mmCIF file of all heavy atoms in Angstrom:
data_model
loop_
_atom_site.group_PDB
_atom_site.id
_atom_site.type_symbol
_atom_site.label_atom_id
_atom_site.label_comp_id
_atom_site.label_asym_id
_atom_site.label_seq_id
_atom_site.Cartn_x
_atom_site.Cartn_y
_atom_site.Cartn_z
ATOM 1 N N PRO M 1239 -35.229 30.231 45.371
ATOM 2 C CA PRO M 1239 -34.460 31.396 45.818
ATOM 3 C C PRO M 1239 -33.025 31.018 46.173
ATOM 4 O O PRO M 1239 -32.744 29.884 46.551
ATOM 5 C CB PRO M 1239 -35.214 31.845 47.073
ATOM 6 C CG PRO M 1239 -35.797 30.578 47.616
ATOM 7 C CD PRO M 1239 -36.107 29.713 46.410
ATOM 8 N N SER M 1240 -32.138 32.002 46.048
ATOM 9 C CA SER M 1240 -30.792 31.806 46.579
ATOM 10 C C SER M 1240 -30.867 32.054 48.094
ATOM 11 O O SER M 1240 -31.949 32.195 48.657
ATOM 12 C CB SER M 1240 -29.786 32.744 45.896
ATOM 13 O OG SER M 1240 -30.085 34.097 46.150
ATOM 14 N N THR M 1241 -29.738 32.146 48.744
ATOM 15 C CA THR M 1241 -29.722 32.307 50.198
ATOM 16 C C THR M 1241 -30.442 33.579 50.616
ATOM 17 O O THR M 1241 -30.163 34.664 50.102
ATOM 18 C CB THR M 1241 -28.275 32.349 50.711
ATOM 19 O OG1 THR M 1241 -27.619 31.157 50.314
ATOM 20 C CG2 THR M 1241 -28.233 32.466 52.224
ATOM 21 N N SER M 1242 -31.374 33.411 51.535
ATOM 22 C CA SER M 1242 -32.107 34.542 52.099
ATOM 23 C C SER M 1242 -31.614 34.797 53.514
ATOM 24 O O SER M 1242 -31.176 33.879 54.206
ATOM 25 C CB SER M 1242 -33.606 34.243 52.146
ATOM 26 O OG SER M 1242 -34.104 34.043 50.859
ATOM 27 N N ASN M 1243 -31.706 36.025 53.935
ATOM 28 C CA ASN M 1243 -31.257 36.415 55.265
ATOM 29 C C ASN M 1243 -32.292 35.956 56.291
ATOM 30 O O ASN M 1243 -33.180 36.706 56.674
ATOM 31 C CB ASN M 1243 -31.062 37.930 55.314
ATOM 32 C CG ASN M 1243 -30.344 38.373 56.559
ATOM 33 O OD1 ASN M 1243 -30.044 37.580 57.434
ATOM 34 N ND2 ASN M 1243 -30.060 39.657 56.637
ATOM 35 N N THR M 1244 -32.184 34.703 56.717
ATOM 36 C CA THR M 1244 -33.126 34.125 57.673
ATOM 37 C C THR M 1244 -32.366 33.408 58.787
ATOM 38 O O THR M 1244 -31.181 33.103 58.659
ATOM 39 C CB THR M 1244 -34.054 33.089 56.998
ATOM 40 O OG1 THR M 1244 -33.247 32.010 56.518
ATOM 41 C CG2 THR M 1244 -34.848 33.709 55.861
ATOM 42 N N GLU M 1245 -33.068 33.123 59.860
ATOM 43 C CA GLU M 1245 -32.481 32.386 60.974
ATOM 44 C C GLU M 1245 -32.055 30.985 60.518
ATOM 45 O O GLU M 1245 -31.027 30.456 60.955
ATOM 46 C CB GLU M 1245 -33.498 32.286 62.110
ATOM 47 C CG GLU M 1245 -32.936 31.681 63.372
ATOM 48 C CD GLU M 1245 -33.957 31.666 64.509
ATOM 49 O OE1 GLU M 1245 -34.722 32.634 64.632
ATOM 50 O OE2 GLU M 1245 -33.952 30.677 65.258
ATOM 51 N N LEU M 1246 -32.819 30.382 59.634
ATOM 52 C CA LEU M 1246 -32.483 29.054 59.111
ATOM 53 C C LEU M 1246 -31.136 29.081 58.394
ATOM 54 O O LEU M 1246 -30.311 28.179 58.583
ATOM 55 C CB LEU M 1246 -33.576 28.565 58.160
ATOM 56 C CG LEU M 1246 -33.352 27.207 57.509
ATOM 57 C CD1 LEU M 1246 -33.305 26.092 58.546
ATOM 58 C CD2 LEU M 1246 -34.439 26.936 56.484
ATOM 59 N N ALA M 1247 -30.898 30.108 57.596
ATOM 60 C CA ALA M 1247 -29.620 30.218 56.890
ATOM 61 C C ALA M 1247 -28.466 30.379 57.879
ATOM 62 O O ALA M 1247 -27.402 29.770 57.709
ATOM 63 C CB ALA M 1247 -29.662 31.390 55.916
ATOM 64 N N VAL M 1248 -28.675 31.173 58.906
ATOM 65 C CA VAL M 1248 -27.629 31.371 59.919
ATOM 66 C C VAL M 1248 -27.328 30.053 60.622
ATOM 67 O O VAL M 1248 -26.170 29.671 60.792
ATOM 68 C CB VAL M 1248 -28.057 32.461 60.931
ATOM 69 C CG1 VAL M 1248 -27.072 32.526 62.094
ATOM 70 C CG2 VAL M 1248 -28.176 33.811 60.248
ATOM 71 N N LYS M 1249 -28.370 29.328 61.026
ATOM 72 C CA LYS M 1249 -28.171 28.043 61.717
ATOM 73 C C LYS M 1249 -27.490 27.017 60.821
ATOM 74 O O LYS M 1249 -26.796 26.134 61.309
ATOM 75 C CB LYS M 1249 -29.512 27.502 62.207
ATOM 76 C CG LYS M 1249 -30.050 28.244 63.405
ATOM 77 C CD LYS M 1249 -31.354 27.638 63.894
ATOM 78 C CE LYS M 1249 -31.868 28.369 65.115
ATOM 79 N NZ LYS M 1249 -33.129 27.808 65.612
ATOM 80 N N ALA M 1250 -27.698 27.135 59.509
ATOM 81 C CA ALA M 1250 -27.061 26.218 58.570
ATOM 82 C C ALA M 1250 -25.607 26.600 58.300
ATOM 83 O O ALA M 1250 -24.900 25.902 57.576
ATOM 84 C CB ALA M 1250 -27.848 26.182 57.258
ATOM 85 N N GLY M 1251 -25.169 27.715 58.865
ATOM 86 C CA GLY M 1251 -23.786 28.143 58.694
ATOM 87 C C GLY M 1251 -23.528 28.863 57.386
ATOM 88 O O GLY M 1251 -22.381 29.017 56.974
ATOM 89 N N LEU M 1252 -24.594 29.320 56.725
ATOM 90 C CA LEU M 1252 -24.417 30.048 55.472
ATOM 91 C C LEU M 1252 -24.003 31.481 55.757
ATOM 92 O O LEU M 1252 -24.408 32.075 56.748
ATOM 93 C CB LEU M 1252 -25.714 30.025 54.665
ATOM 94 C CG LEU M 1252 -26.208 28.635 54.274
ATOM 95 C CD1 LEU M 1252 -27.565 28.726 53.604
ATOM 96 C CD2 LEU M 1252 -25.215 27.943 53.363
ATOM 97 N N LYS M 1253 -23.196 32.038 54.868
ATOM 98 C CA LYS M 1253 -22.720 33.404 55.043
ATOM 99 C C LYS M 1253 -23.873 34.374 54.790
ATOM 100 O O LYS M 1253 -24.499 34.355 53.736
ATOM 101 C CB LYS M 1253 -21.573 33.699 54.084
ATOM 102 C CG LYS M 1253 -20.989 35.069 54.263
ATOM 103 C CD LYS M 1253 -19.840 35.300 53.316
ATOM 104 C CE LYS M 1253 -19.330 36.720 53.499
ATOM 105 N NZ LYS M 1253 -18.328 37.060 52.509
ATOM 106 N N ILE M 1254 -24.138 35.211 55.768
ATOM 107 C CA ILE M 1254 -25.174 36.226 55.655
ATOM 108 C C ILE M 1254 -24.498 37.590 55.700
ATOM 109 O O ILE M 1254 -23.797 37.913 56.655
ATOM 110 C CB ILE M 1254 -26.208 36.111 56.808
ATOM 111 C CG1 ILE M 1254 -26.884 34.749 56.781
ATOM 112 C CG2 ILE M 1254 -27.229 37.225 56.733
ATOM 113 C CD1 ILE M 1254 -27.698 34.465 55.534
ATOM 114 N N GLY M 1255 -24.716 38.384 54.658
ATOM 115 C CA GLY M 1255 -24.088 39.698 54.582
ATOM 116 C C GLY M 1255 -24.977 40.779 55.162
ATOM 117 O O GLY M 1255 -25.938 40.510 55.882
ATOM 118 N N GLU M 1256 -24.660 42.006 54.819
ATOM 119 C CA GLU M 1256 -25.426 43.157 55.291
ATOM 120 C C GLU M 1256 -26.854 43.075 54.776
ATOM 121 O O GLU M 1256 -27.097 42.644 53.647
ATOM 122 C CB GLU M 1256 -24.776 44.449 54.805
ATOM 123 C CG GLU M 1256 -23.389 44.683 55.354
ATOM 124 C CD GLU M 1256 -22.744 45.916 54.759
ATOM 125 O OE1 GLU M 1256 -23.481 46.827 54.342
ATOM 126 O OE2 GLU M 1256 -21.518 45.944 54.695
ATOM 127 N N GLU M 1257 -27.806 43.514 55.595
ATOM 128 C CA GLU M 1257 -29.230 43.375 55.260
ATOM 129 C C GLU M 1257 -29.579 44.038 53.938
ATOM 130 O O GLU M 1257 -30.358 43.499 53.157
ATOM 131 C CB GLU M 1257 -30.077 43.971 56.381
ATOM 132 C CG GLU M 1257 -31.557 43.741 56.169
ATOM 133 C CD GLU M 1257 -32.389 44.145 57.357
ATOM 134 O OE1 GLU M 1257 -31.954 43.905 58.498
ATOM 135 O OE2 GLU M 1257 -33.461 44.696 57.127
ATOM 136 N N ASP M 1258 -28.989 45.199 53.641
ATOM 137 C CA ASP M 1258 -29.339 45.899 52.406
ATOM 138 C C ASP M 1258 -28.720 45.255 51.165
ATOM 139 O O ASP M 1258 -29.037 45.637 50.045
ATOM 140 C CB ASP M 1258 -28.962 47.376 52.489
ATOM 141 C CG ASP M 1258 -27.466 47.610 52.639
ATOM 142 O OD1 ASP M 1258 -26.763 46.709 53.114
ATOM 143 O OD2 ASP M 1258 -27.019 48.710 52.275
ATOM 144 N N ARG M 1259 -27.866 44.247 51.342
ATOM 145 C CA ARG M 1259 -27.239 43.571 50.200
ATOM 146 C C ARG M 1259 -27.685 42.123 50.043
ATOM 147 O O ARG M 1259 -27.412 41.508 49.021
ATOM 148 C CB ARG M 1259 -25.723 43.622 50.345
ATOM 149 C CG ARG M 1259 -25.193 45.044 50.243
ATOM 150 C CD ARG M 1259 -23.716 45.038 50.247
ATOM 151 N NE ARG M 1259 -23.212 44.237 49.145
ATOM 152 C CZ ARG M 1259 -22.164 44.554 48.425
ATOM 153 N NH1 ARG M 1259 -21.518 45.660 48.665
ATOM 154 N NH2 ARG M 1259 -21.741 43.770 47.466
ATOM 155 N N MET M 1260 -28.345 41.574 51.072
ATOM 156 C CA MET M 1260 -28.775 40.177 51.017
ATOM 157 C C MET M 1260 -30.280 40.089 50.760
ATOM 158 O O MET M 1260 -31.033 40.958 51.188
ATOM 159 C CB MET M 1260 -28.471 39.461 52.337
ATOM 160 C CG MET M 1260 -27.005 39.155 52.556
ATOM 161 S SD MET M 1260 -26.304 38.058 51.320
ATOM 162 C CE MET M 1260 -27.234 36.571 51.571
ATOM 163 N N MET M 1261 -30.691 39.023 50.103
ATOM 164 C CA MET M 1261 -32.104 38.808 49.872
ATOM 165 C C MET M 1261 -32.818 38.621 51.207
ATOM 166 O O MET M 1261 -32.325 37.932 52.098
ATOM 167 C CB MET M 1261 -32.335 37.575 48.992
ATOM 168 C CG MET M 1261 -33.793 37.386 48.658
ATOM 169 S SD MET M 1261 -34.201 36.039 47.541
ATOM 170 C CE MET M 1261 -32.708 35.299 47.098
ATOM 171 N N GLN M 1262 -33.974 39.228 51.313
ATOM 172 C CA GLN M 1262 -34.784 39.142 52.517
ATOM 173 C C GLN M 1262 -36.000 38.251 52.240
ATOM 174 O O GLN M 1262 -36.429 38.117 51.092
ATOM 175 C CB GLN M 1262 -35.247 40.539 52.945
ATOM 176 C CG GLN M 1262 -34.105 41.505 53.223
ATOM 177 C CD GLN M 1262 -33.197 41.019 54.328
ATOM 178 O OE1 GLN M 1262 -33.654 40.656 55.411
ATOM 179 N NE2 GLN M 1262 -31.899 40.992 54.067
ATOM 180 N N PRO M 1263 -36.563 37.646 53.277
ATOM 181 C CA PRO M 1263 -37.757 36.814 53.072
ATOM 182 C C PRO M 1263 -38.879 37.580 52.375
ATOM 183 O O PRO M 1263 -39.623 37.015 51.572
ATOM 184 C CB PRO M 1263 -38.161 36.422 54.497
ATOM 185 C CG PRO M 1263 -36.920 36.548 55.310
ATOM 186 C CD PRO M 1263 -36.127 37.645 54.677
ATOM 187 N N GLU M 1264 -38.981 38.879 52.633
ATOM 188 C CA GLU M 1264 -40.012 39.696 51.997
ATOM 189 C C GLU M 1264 -39.851 39.752 50.480
ATOM 190 O O GLU M 1264 -40.829 39.887 49.747
ATOM 191 C CB GLU M 1264 -39.985 41.122 52.566
ATOM 192 C CG GLU M 1264 -40.326 41.200 54.038
ATOM 193 C CD GLU M 1264 -39.139 40.906 54.971
ATOM 194 O OE1 GLU M 1264 -37.986 40.811 54.494
ATOM 195 O OE2 GLU M 1264 -39.386 40.742 56.170
ATOM 196 N N ASP M 1265 -38.607 39.656 50.000
ATOM 197 C CA ASP M 1265 -38.356 39.656 48.555
ATOM 198 C C ASP M 1265 -38.957 38.417 47.906
ATOM 199 O O ASP M 1265 -39.564 38.484 46.836
ATOM 200 C CB ASP M 1265 -36.854 39.723 48.274
ATOM 201 C CG ASP M 1265 -36.190 40.949 48.880
ATOM 202 O OD1 ASP M 1265 -36.842 42.009 48.964
ATOM 203 O OD2 ASP M 1265 -35.014 40.831 49.278
ATOM 204 N N VAL M 1266 -38.775 37.277 48.568
ATOM 205 C CA VAL M 1266 -39.337 36.018 48.060
ATOM 206 C C VAL M 1266 -40.865 36.076 48.107
ATOM 207 O O VAL M 1266 -41.541 35.689 47.154
ATOM 208 C CB VAL M 1266 -38.799 34.808 48.855
ATOM 209 C CG1 VAL M 1266 -39.399 33.507 48.343
ATOM 210 C CG2 VAL M 1266 -37.278 34.761 48.812
ATOM 211 N N ALA M 1267 -41.400 36.609 49.193
ATOM 212 C CA ALA M 1267 -42.852 36.731 49.324
ATOM 213 C C ALA M 1267 -43.422 37.626 48.232
ATOM 214 O O ALA M 1267 -44.486 37.333 47.668
ATOM 215 C CB ALA M 1267 -43.205 37.284 50.704
ATOM 216 N N GLU M 1268 -42.731 38.697 47.893
ATOM 217 C CA GLU M 1268 -43.202 39.607 46.840
ATOM 218 C C GLU M 1268 -43.265 38.888 45.491
ATOM 219 O O GLU M 1268 -44.208 39.063 44.718
ATOM 220 C CB GLU M 1268 -42.294 40.825 46.761
ATOM 221 C CG GLU M 1268 -42.833 41.911 45.869
ATOM 222 C CD GLU M 1268 -42.037 43.202 45.987
ATOM 223 O OE1 GLU M 1268 -41.457 43.481 47.040
ATOM 224 O OE2 GLU M 1268 -42.017 43.926 44.974
ATOM 225 N N LEU M 1269 -42.259 38.063 45.205
ATOM 226 C CA LEU M 1269 -42.272 37.279 43.970
ATOM 227 C C LEU M 1269 -43.474 36.339 43.946
ATOM 228 O O LEU M 1269 -44.206 36.262 42.945
ATOM 229 C CB LEU M 1269 -40.978 36.472 43.833
ATOM 230 C CG LEU M 1269 -40.954 35.449 42.694
ATOM 231 C CD1 LEU M 1269 -41.074 36.137 41.333
ATOM 232 C CD2 LEU M 1269 -39.725 34.581 42.780
ATOM 233 N N ILE M 1270 -43.701 35.640 45.037
ATOM 234 C CA ILE M 1270 -44.813 34.686 45.099
ATOM 235 C C ILE M 1270 -46.145 35.397 44.934
ATOM 236 O O ILE M 1270 -47.022 34.930 44.189
ATOM 237 C CB ILE M 1270 -44.757 33.879 46.412
ATOM 238 C CG1 ILE M 1270 -43.518 32.975 46.403
ATOM 239 C CG2 ILE M 1270 -46.029 33.065 46.617
ATOM 240 C CD1 ILE M 1270 -43.191 32.340 47.729
ATOM 241 N N LEU M 1271 -46.302 36.541 45.584
ATOM 242 C CA LEU M 1271 -47.550 37.298 45.436
ATOM 243 C C LEU M 1271 -47.776 37.745 44.005
ATOM 244 O O LEU M 1271 -48.902 37.702 43.499
ATOM 245 C CB LEU M 1271 -47.556 38.506 46.374
ATOM 246 C CG LEU M 1271 -47.778 38.188 47.839
ATOM 247 C CD1 LEU M 1271 -47.595 39.445 48.685
ATOM 248 C CD2 LEU M 1271 -49.162 37.602 48.059
ATOM 249 N N SER M 1272 -46.711 38.164 43.326
ATOM 250 C CA SER M 1272 -46.868 38.596 41.937
ATOM 251 C C SER M 1272 -47.275 37.428 41.039
ATOM 252 O O SER M 1272 -48.066 37.597 40.113
ATOM 253 C CB SER M 1272 -45.598 39.264 41.422
ATOM 254 O OG SER M 1272 -44.541 38.344 41.315
ATOM 255 N N ILE M 1273 -46.777 36.234 41.330
ATOM 256 C CA ILE M 1273 -47.168 35.044 40.567
ATOM 257 C C ILE M 1273 -48.636 34.721 40.821
ATOM 258 O O ILE M 1273 -49.390 34.410 39.899
ATOM 259 C CB ILE M 1273 -46.269 33.846 40.932
ATOM 260 C CG1 ILE M 1273 -44.842 34.079 40.421
ATOM 261 C CG2 ILE M 1273 -46.836 32.541 40.378
ATOM 262 C CD1 ILE M 1273 -43.824 33.089 40.945
ATOM 263 N N LEU M 1274 -49.064 34.827 42.076
ATOM 264 C CA LEU M 1274 -50.455 34.521 42.426
ATOM 265 C C LEU M 1274 -51.440 35.514 41.816
ATOM 266 O O LEU M 1274 -52.607 35.172 41.597
ATOM 267 C CB LEU M 1274 -50.624 34.493 43.945
ATOM 268 C CG LEU M 1274 -49.951 33.328 44.665
ATOM 269 C CD1 LEU M 1274 -50.008 33.537 46.165
ATOM 270 C CD2 LEU M 1274 -50.586 32.012 44.267
#
């Protein structure tokens, strides 16, 4: 995944944009579930 809007990304100093424009952890989880 690219940068996700998570606390880890914030602590790493990565730029986090507006929630509706940034990838959310749920998006990554949805991809993984579809693969499974």
